Amino acid sequence: MKLLLLIAILFSVGCRGAEAAEGAVEEAVPAHCHSETVNSNVRLATLKIEEVKLPLIFSSFIIIVILAKIGWHYPWMHVISSNIPESCMLIVLGTHIGGILVASFRLDECTPNDNLPFRFTPQLFFVFLLPPIIFASGYFLDNRAFFENIISILMYAVIGTVWNAFALGFTLYGLSVAGLMDSHLSIPSALLFGTICAAVDPVAVLAVFDEIHVNKLLHILVFGESLLNDAVTIVLFQVLGAFANIEFDHETTHNIGVDVAVGFAQFFVVVIASIIIGFIFGIITCLLTRLTHHVHVLEPVFLFVLGYLSYLCADLFAFSGIISLIVFAIMVKHYVPPNLSFKSNITFKYFLKMINVLAEMVIFLYLGIALYDDHFHSWDTGLVLWTIVLTLIFRPIGTFVLTLLLNRLRFHKITLKDTFIMSFSGLRGAVAFSLALTRLFEEGQSSLPEGERTLRKRMVTAVTALLLFTVFVQGTTIKPLVRMIKVKIENVHQVSLNEVIHNDTMEHINSGMQDIAGTFGFNRLVEILQFLDVKYFRKLFERFPEAKDRDIINKFKKLQFKESTQEVESHHCNTETHEEHRLLNDEVCEAAKSCEDAVPILDEILKANRFNPHEDHYNHVIIHDENDEIDHHLQKVKLRKRLQVRKGRRSTFQRRHTTPSFPTIPTSSRTGLVASPLEAIEETDSGRDRLVSLSAVIGQTDEPMIDPHSVPQASSNDTPL
């Protein structure tokens, strides 16, 4: 922390002293020296601090937050970092840096406070920092869990947000009329302030949830509510902002009834139009990525640029860019990855995660810096205290009432413990602070009465106090609270291929039972959507439409790639329980030891073992690059030779010992990661039986890969698939 503060001090002093240094040098030069150099237009060095001031400051912020994150997660900081959220550390760091920068810039009396270059502005947040966070949230969203609980999420996000906004607004208006605070709020201004305070941002809570592994239902309810809450809050802010400005518009007459009807209709128009814009840009992205197989380097660019354009186009027409970007991300996640190369998929995912983390850290850093900007703030003790108290009262009331209503309709009930954690996890963040600043700096604010401008500054101060209270108090106590009340924890384990097959089978069974019973449930709806997806949408949006059992195939790919990568990264052969298992992995281990660069060999092994969606069977390798055909052929020859050596050793071993049973799950460890999975499985009776069963379950071929009549019967010791 001291190192970071020292860097900030040196940087700020350097920025402010650069211009002064140049003037001081000119004053220090004697007059006769001036006369000699006054006609020269050539300089040995020139400081252009005004041209690079903003990008230099922003880049320095990024370096500071990266160093802070590294130090915060260092082992000797584990005791503190495990109990205090990272957002708290960044806000504290931002307050120190903000104090240093403000003090250094104020040394120059010619620089007014209104022109500080590091000010947190709504445009900076909504245009540059918020889109990557929303894009990452929508892309890495668990679509199945999200849509299974979409009714509950919409109830909490829409009805809960409206309840919090109107309950807080009307209560503050009553307190203002009663004279219990210095600020005098009108009904539109009070409702608008309540809407601003209703925006939640549980970044710290979700980080705790990921660390503790709370149950999936609680996680998706909190995450989904926060994701849609921002969109609902911004739309409601736009509608109520128009009503709040009516009292200052004395040039035209207004019909309140008509304005209310138009505002109510505007809410639905904004939501529907934003969804349509997201779908349009999603369709364009899917169609364009079908044509990028010759320019893989541009594939991630299409996703980022078109996603950002969907956000900007929605804001261009005063719609919700958040809703548009969420719809775009969900659609792109489903259809675009099969069109991209493996490297493009990895590049896009990691770059999206990177800018998401950086944006969140920079936001909290800016929030700390904004505390020193007196252009934002005006203190009202009554407004601050009542806002915090009423927020802690109304959110739990709304959450518990909605839970009671939803549990009448849900099969899997929401427990009281989960409901309490949901009500306690309503942290406020940058969205609320940015909306308050938007209200402060909107057009025409200079012509407002002095009392209205002061009231808007007091709103910013109250929102800032609410933000700090929720982040530091609720954010730091949520982790021990979850453990104290013993919230249900998710059983974290690696999902096997067998589990995916069973889940898929149970979904078909549930859908059939609903069809027989004459009911239309979620499983039946999923069956219909999957049918339309396979029959029409994939053929339109994907370059090579895969088989209908894509979940099973994708899980098979992930399992084999994960285990293959672990084998190569380990660089040594681990001792296994069964000697047979060890022999099956010798090839990858020897390749990793003998070759300095094992990646090409691993890539060839994966191509031979992983299912190729362009063909109807597993054992097929397509070499697209003719220049590498000879190298690939030589590698295959080497692998074949290693196979022969391994077969000789294994035949000797089989004559001495009984062949042990393989695990029930077909993974790369069992297949040995050889050039052909058939050669790895065919050599045992149980392996052939499992291969027949696997091909029948996945349904990729009309007939089994091996004739079942030609396969010897499995022994009684074999474990069925």
Side-chain angles (χ1 to χ4, degrees):
M1 185 68 70
K2 294 181 179 179
L3 177 61
L4 295 177
L5 293 177
L6 179 61
I7 294 175
I9 293 173
L10 294 177
F11 170 74
S12 60
V13 172
C15 288
R16 299 308 305 159
E19 299 176 2
E22 185 176 356
V25 169
E26 292 181 357
E27 293 177 1
V29 175
H32 65 276
C33 295
H34 267 290
S35 61
E36 295 178 1
T37 59
V38 69
N39 295 327
S40 176
N41 294 325
V42 180
R43 297 183 179 181
L44 296 178
T46 303
L47 291 176
K48 298 182 178 181
I49 190 65
E50 292 295 335
E51 298 180 7
V52 299
K53 182 187 299 181
L54 291 179
L56 186 61
I57 292 176
F58 194 76
S59 301
S60 302
F61 283 172
I62 294 178
I63 296 297
I64 290 174
V65 297
I66 291 176
L67 293 176
K69 190 176 183 66
I70 293 174
W72 187 252
H73 293 284
Y74 209 70
W76 56 274
M77 290 288 293
H78 177 70
V79 176
I80 300 177
S81 60
S82 60
N83 296 302
I84 299 177
E86 184 180 286
S87 55
C88 297
M89 178 270 296
L90 292 173
I91 292 178
V92 172
L93 179 62
T95 56
H96 288 78
I97 296 176
I100 296 171
L101 292 177
V102 169
S104 63
F105 274 89
R106 285 178 178 174
L107 292 176
D108 186 3
E109 298 179 355
C110 298
T111 303
N113 196 26
D114 295 346
N115 297 328
L116 296 178
F118 48 84
R119 166 171 291 162
F120 185 92
T121 62
Q123 183 181 12
L124 172 66
F125 175 75
F126 286 111
V127 178
F128 298 105
L129 297 178
L130 184 60
I133 298 176
I134 300 299
F135 197 2
S137 300
Y139 190 84
F140 297 109
L141 180 68
D142 187 349
N143 293 343
R144 183 58 186 263
F146 179 78
F147 287 106
E148 282 182 351
N149 301 278
I150 186 63
I151 302 298
S152 302
I153 292 174
L154 288 176
M155 289 280 286
Y156 287 120
V158 179
I159 299 180
T161 301
V162 173
W163 157 257
N164 292 328
F166 279 75
L168 179 62
F170 280 117
T171 306
L172 288 176
Y173 171 73
L175 294 173
S176 175
V177 173
L180 297 179
M181 60 175 121
D182 296 336
S183 301
H184 298 284
L185 298 172
S186 62
I187 293 180
S189 298
L191 293 179
L192 187 63
F193 179 69
T195 301
I196 295 173
C197 295
V200 297
D201 185 19
V203 175
V205 174
L206 292 175
V208 173
F209 285 178
D210 293 334
E211 181 181 352
I212 301 178
H213 303 294
V214 298
N215 61 86
K216 183 181 292 186
L217 176 61
L218 176 59
H219 189 281
I220 196 63
L221 288 178
V222 174
F223 182 74
E225 182 205 357
S226 65
L227 190 61
L228 299 183
N229 169 270
D230 293 341
V232 174
T233 302
I234 293 175
V235 174
L236 196 61
F237 176 82
Q238 295 174 354
V239 174
L240 294 177
F243 287 101
N245 292 331
I246 290 177
E247 57 181 322
F248 302 107
D249 188 1
H250 304 290
E251 299 179 359
T252 59
T253 59
H254 298 273
N255 189 333
I256 300 300
V258 174
D259 291 334
V260 171
V262 172
F264 186 77
Q266 181 186 1
F267 182 86
F268 293 96
V269 170
V270 168
V271 173
I272 295 174
S274 303
I275 293 175
I276 294 174
I277 292 176
F279 269 119
I280 291 174
F281 278 92
I283 292 173
I284 295 174
T285 305
C286 295
L287 296 178
L288 285 178
T289 51
R290 293 188 60 178
L291 309 175
T292 58
H293 54 282
H294 295 300
V295 282
H296 292 311
V297 69
L298 298 179
E299 290 174 341
V301 178
F302 277 111
L303 298 180
F304 285 111
V305 174
L306 290 175
Y308 191 53
L309 284 177
S310 69
Y311 180 88
L312 294 179
C313 286
D315 280 350
L316 178 65
F317 298 101
F319 299 144
S320 175
I322 296 178
I323 297 178
S324 176
L325 192 54
I326 291 173
V327 174
F328 174 85
I330 293 175
M331 186 174 182
V332 162
K333 177 184 178 180
H334 186 70
Y335 292 110
V336 169
N339 294 340
L340 305 182
S341 64
F342 177 76
K343 293 182 179 179
S344 297
N345 274 310
I346 296 298
T347 301
F348 170 73
K349 290 179 181 179
Y350 275 92
F351 189 78
L352 183 59
K353 289 182 179 179
M354 180 193 69
I355 59 176
N356 173 39
V357 173
L358 287 178
E360 289 180 350
M361 293 192 299
V362 171
I363 285 173
F364 285 110
L365 189 68
Y366 262 112
L367 290 178
I369 295 175
L371 296 178
Y372 286 92
D373 198 339
D374 55 8
H375 188 69
F376 293 163
H377 303 292
S378 179
W379 184 259
D380 184 355
T381 305
L383 182 61
V384 170
L385 294 180
W386 282 117
T387 300
I388 296 175
V389 172
L390 294 176
T391 301
L392 296 177
I393 294 175
F394 288 130
R395 178 174 173 84
I397 292 175
T399 305
F400 277 94
V401 171
L402 290 175
T403 301
L404 292 177
L405 296 176
L406 289 171
N407 281 340
R408 294 177 176 269
L409 306 175
R410 293 180 58 91
F411 179 77
H412 298 285
K413 308 300 182 182
I414 303 174
T415 63
L416 291 178
K417 294 180 181 180
D418 292 346
T419 305
F420 176 74
I421 295 299
M422 288 179 59
S423 64
F424 196 78
S425 61
L427 277 66
R428 272 59 178 179
V431 174
F433 185 74
S434 300
L435 290 177
L437 292 184
T438 302
R439 181 65 177 166
L440 178 62
F441 293 115
E442 65 181 1
E443 295 181 3
Q445 59 92 19
S446 59
S447 61
L448 295 176
E450 182 65 26
E452 177 64 20
R453 290 200 298 268
T454 303
L455 176 62
R456 295 185 180 186
K457 289 183 179 181
R458 290 177 177 178
M459 289 182 179
V460 175
T461 304
V463 171
T464 304
L466 179 64
L467 184 154
L468 295 177
F469 177 84
T470 56
V471 170
F472 281 90
V473 177
Q474 295 179 232
T476 54
T477 56
I478 186 68
K479 186 174 182 179
L481 190 62
V482 168
R483 291 176 174 173
M484 183 179 64
I485 65 176
K486 298 181 180 180
V487 175
K488 183 180 178 181
I489 304 300
E490 186 73 15
N491 184 16
V492 181
H493 66 283
Q494 181 180 356
V495 180
S496 63
L497 181 61
N498 202 16
E499 185 176 348
V500 175
I501 295 173
H502 289 169
N503 291 337
D504 189 63
T505 304
M506 290 304 299
E507 291 174 4
H508 287 288
I509 294 175
N510 291 333
S511 177
M513 293 174 63
Q514 292 176 358
D515 196 12
I516 294 173
T519 60
F520 189 84
F522 180 77
N523 290 285
R524 183 58 180 164
L525 177 62
V526 171
E527 285 286 331
I528 296 175
L529 294 178
Q530 287 180 348
F531 172 79
L532 296 175
D533 186 37
V534 174
K535 189 71 174 178
Y536 302 106
F537 297 146
R538 289 186 188 176
K539 295 180 180 179
L540 177 63
F541 297 138
E542 295 182 4
R543 188 186 308 147
F544 299 104
E546 296 181 354
K548 61 180 180 179
D549 295 324
R550 187 164 67 175
D551 292 339
I552 300 175
I553 298 169
N554 289 339
K555 191 61 188 178
F556 181 74
K557 293 179 182 180
K558 291 179 181 178
L559 287 173
Q560 287 211 338
F561 178 76
K562 182 177 181 179
E563 294 189 7
S564 304
T565 306
Q566 290 175 352
E567 291 289 348
V568 173
E569 289 179 350
S570 63
H571 293 286
H572 66 278
C573 293
N574 296 323
T575 304
E576 301 291 343
T577 305
H578 300 291
E579 181 68 14
E580 179 69 14
H581 196 190
R582 186 188 67 80
L583 291 174
L584 288 175
N585 289 290
D586 278 348
E587 184 178 56
V588 173
C589 297
E590 291 173 2
K593 288 181 178 180
S594 59
C595 286
E596 181 180 358
D597 187 8
V599 175
I601 297 178
L602 174 61
D603 184 63
E604 183 66 24
I605 295 173
L606 289 176
K607 286 181 180 179
N609 282 273
R610 291 168 60 192
F611 175 76
N612 193 334
H614 306 167
E615 299 295 330
D616 292 334
H617 52 83
Y618 289 83
N619 186 20
H620 191 88
V621 179
I622 300 177
I623 301 176
H624 298 283
D625 195 351
E626 297 180 357
N627 297 329
D628 297 337
E629 185 174 359
I630 298 178
D631 295 337
H632 283 286
H633 180 70
L634 292 176
Q635 292 176 4
K636 292 172 67 176
V637 170
K638 292 179 181 180
L639 293 175
R640 296 291 180 183
K641 290 182 178 180
R642 291 172 185 162
L643 272 176
Q644 295 175 0
V645 175
R646 191 200 63 187
K647 288 177 182 178
R649 289 186 295 174
R650 193 166 65 178
S651 61
T652 303
F653 177 80
Q654 288 177 347
R655 287 195 299 267
R656 298 179 180 178
H657 305 278
T658 303
T659 304
S661 299
F662 292 127
T664 58
I665 306 304
T667 61
S668 59
S669 298
R670 200 184 78 189
T671 58
L673 292 175
V674 295
S676 173
L678 292 178
E679 298 182 26
I681 300 176
E682 282 181 358
E683 299 194 16
T684 62
D685 297 340
S686 59
R688 285 193 286 270
D689 289 340
R690 295 192 189 93
L691 185 59
V692 174
S693 301
L694 180 61
S695 62
V697 171
I698 296 181
Q700 301 305 318
T701 58
D702 295 332
E703 298 179 2
M705 298 172 63
I706 302 176
D707 187 4
H709 298 289
S710 63
V711 180
Q713 296 295 325
S715 62
S716 59
N717 295 328
D718 291 333
T719 304
L721 178 63

